[in-house]
Amino acid sequence: MPKRHSPDVVIIGAGVVGAACAYYATRSGLTVAVVDRGPVAGGTTGAGEGNLLVSDKEAGPELDLALLSTRLWRELSATLPPETEYEPKGGLVVAPDEPALKALRTFAEGQRAAGVDAAEIPADRLADLEPHLAPGLAGGFHYPQDAQVQPAQAAARLLAASGAALHLGEEVTAILRDPAGAVRGVRTARRELLAPAVVNAAGTWGGEAARLAGVHLPVLPRRGFVLVTEPLPRIVRHKVYAADYIADVASGSAALQSSAVVEGTPGGPVLIGATRERVGFDRTLSTEALRRLAAQAAALFPVLADVQVLRAYHGFRPYLPDHLPAIGADPRVPGLHHACGHEGAGIGLAPATGLLVAAALTGAAPPLDPAPFRPERDFGPADPIPPQEQQS
């Protein structure tokens, strides 16, 4: 017979989004249990680079969420331990030619109107920010609000600070509902966690968690690879990427896309992302993806051409067709809340997501308009599903 426990809210998922939901829910006075079939940060969070970006988001709801999270991460950095490696290093987006620079200029104008600090850097000043950048670039934009954390540590430290009860290595097999259809908790093989509210923060498995409650949420996995170099002196000072990365982020294509995002870390290794492709949960190593990343990184920073790559890792971004996360109460099932579908931005958007969820759980005024993130919204026409996803 499973044990029974009765918190105010159960959060499914111990990644950084679930951790942020737990943190802000407990700060709002709620008792919280977090359950995950694996360890803390065992999914998308543990495979991320730790990006806290505003630079790649056009003016709109996701940028609003990112700007709020930028402020919240800054506040959290003053209270969380140094292991989170919060680093407000800033970002540099570079353009290879004049047409790309003109497009960046237009993009930045819209961002500035929304509150982003974006400064154009002419070609002859790029070396002031990044001395090892390749010559011949047309210019770029500096984004001082971009930052970085160590994602697994951030999730672990947020969970520890929340004081939530953790139930790791326990897969949720059912979302319990009362005769009227409202949520009344979850069941695992070991226990029942009875609660009037359940938060689906299951990342790429958010669609599966939603199905347990009888609702549809079209979350799909989008695979990405990261290269890790040998420890180096700080030859890359900012988070640096080419302008075509912004288009990759906004694309719904199932095909392999790659645009190098290059950054140094406090420990010395340089991280090189990012690829995107929809192949279901296929964990096969893609030599083509790794080759593209290495070549694109060396094109941005020729000094990296002869640097040893120590390892590569990959993960799956939780993708929704309209490129906005699902956050908040699901009117189809009373007591069910969602906090998933952030794709590659979940680490950056986690604090604002947690604050929105906490407001929905307690009936408090939301920190920004939650309407664009409604879980029951029309996600638009679905992209063609590749055979790998049909088989997943």
Side-chain angles (χ1 to χ4, degrees):
M1 184 82 176
K3 301 175 184 178
R4 294 193 170 196
H5 304 269
S6 300
D8 294 321
V9 57
V10 176
I11 297 171
I12 304 173
V16 72
V17 171
C21 290
Y23 179 83
Y24 287 106
T26 57
R27 283 172 62 90
S28 298
L30 301 176
T31 57
V32 176
V34 177
V35 58
D36 196 298
R37 63 182 183 174
V40 172
T44 301
T45 296
E49 295 175 72
N51 294 337
L52 313 180
L53 302 184
V54 299
S55 57
D56 63 342
K57 296 169 181 64
E58 66 179 342
E62 189 183 29
L63 180 57
D64 295 340
L65 202 64
L67 286 167
L68 173 58
S69 273
T70 294
R71 176 174 62 82
L72 294 173
W73 272 120
R74 194 178 303 118
E75 293 173 1
L76 288 167
S77 72
T79 61
L80 296 176
E83 289 85 353
T84 57
E85 295 183 7
Y86 174 78
E87 190 179 10
K89 64 174 70 175
L92 180 64
V93 186
V94 296
D97 51 39
E98 284 301 323
L101 184 60
K102 183 178 179 181
L104 271 184
R105 197 174 287 133
T106 301
F107 189 75
E109 286 172 3
Q111 292 176 310
R112 285 197 194 101
V116 173
D117 185 359
E120 183 167 354
I121 309 298
D124 61 359
R125 296 291 305 279
L126 288 174
D128 296 344
L129 275 70
E130 290 290 345
H132 296 284
L133 261 179
L137 295 166
F141 276 81
H142 178 225
Y143 289 87
Q145 290 158 301
D146 282 357
Q148 175 83 16
V149 292
Q150 207 296 330
Q153 285 286 353
R157 302 302 173 174
L158 278 171
L159 281 171
S162 77
L166 293 182
H167 304 286
L168 303 177
E170 296 187 34
E171 182 174 358
V172 172
T173 56
I175 292 180
L176 307 175
R177 298 169 69 180
D178 66 21
V183 160
R184 66 180 185 90
V186 306
R187 179 183 296 127
T188 75
R190 298 182 193 173
R191 73 192 80 241
E192 288 185 350
L193 294 164
L194 303 181
V198 170
V199 177
N200 169 20
T204 48
W205 296 98
E208 296 292 333
R211 274 190 282 277
L212 291 177
V215 296
H216 176 62
L217 196 65
V219 180
L220 294 171
R222 212 173 175 195
R223 187 174 70 183
F225 287 90
V226 177
L227 299 176
V228 184
T229 75
E230 62 184 302
L232 300 168
R234 202 59 180 268
I235 60 174
V236 183
R237 300 176 180 178
H238 301 79
K239 191 178 296 287
V240 183
Y241 60 88
D244 55 355
Y245 172 78
I246 296 170
D248 285 357
V249 169
S251 170
S253 172
L256 174 63
Q257 297 171 297
S258 65
S259 180
V261 179
V262 184
E263 60 190 308
T265 63
V270 172
L271 302 183
I272 302 167
T275 63
R276 282 172 164 77
E277 56 185 329
R278 284 172 47 203
V279 292
F281 285 100
D282 182 358
R283 293 186 173 275
T284 305
L285 185 70
S286 170
T287 54
E288 173 61 16
L290 302 184
R291 184 195 65 77
R292 286 195 197 181
L293 284 179
Q296 290 167 342
L300 274 180
F301 289 93
V303 69
L304 295 177
D306 296 321
V307 166
Q308 184 178 1
V309 173
L310 296 185
R311 65 186 181 97
Y313 63 91
H314 65 277
F316 299 95
R317 302 175 181 89
Y319 162 83
L320 281 166
D322 65 357
H323 301 284
L324 288 178
I327 305 172
D330 192 325
R332 298 168 292 185
V333 178
L336 178 65
H337 298 251
H338 299 282
C340 59
H342 298 75
E343 200 171 338
I347 295 160
L349 301 180
T353 298
L355 203 57
L356 274 175
V357 168
L361 289 167
T362 60
L368 50 75
D369 181 10
F373 312 109
R374 296 188 320 275
E376 80 284 8
R377 69 185 184 268
D378 179 2
F379 290 91
D383 298 308
I385 299 177
Q388 299 95 324
E389 288 182 336
Q390 295 173 15
Q391 295 164 7
S392 297

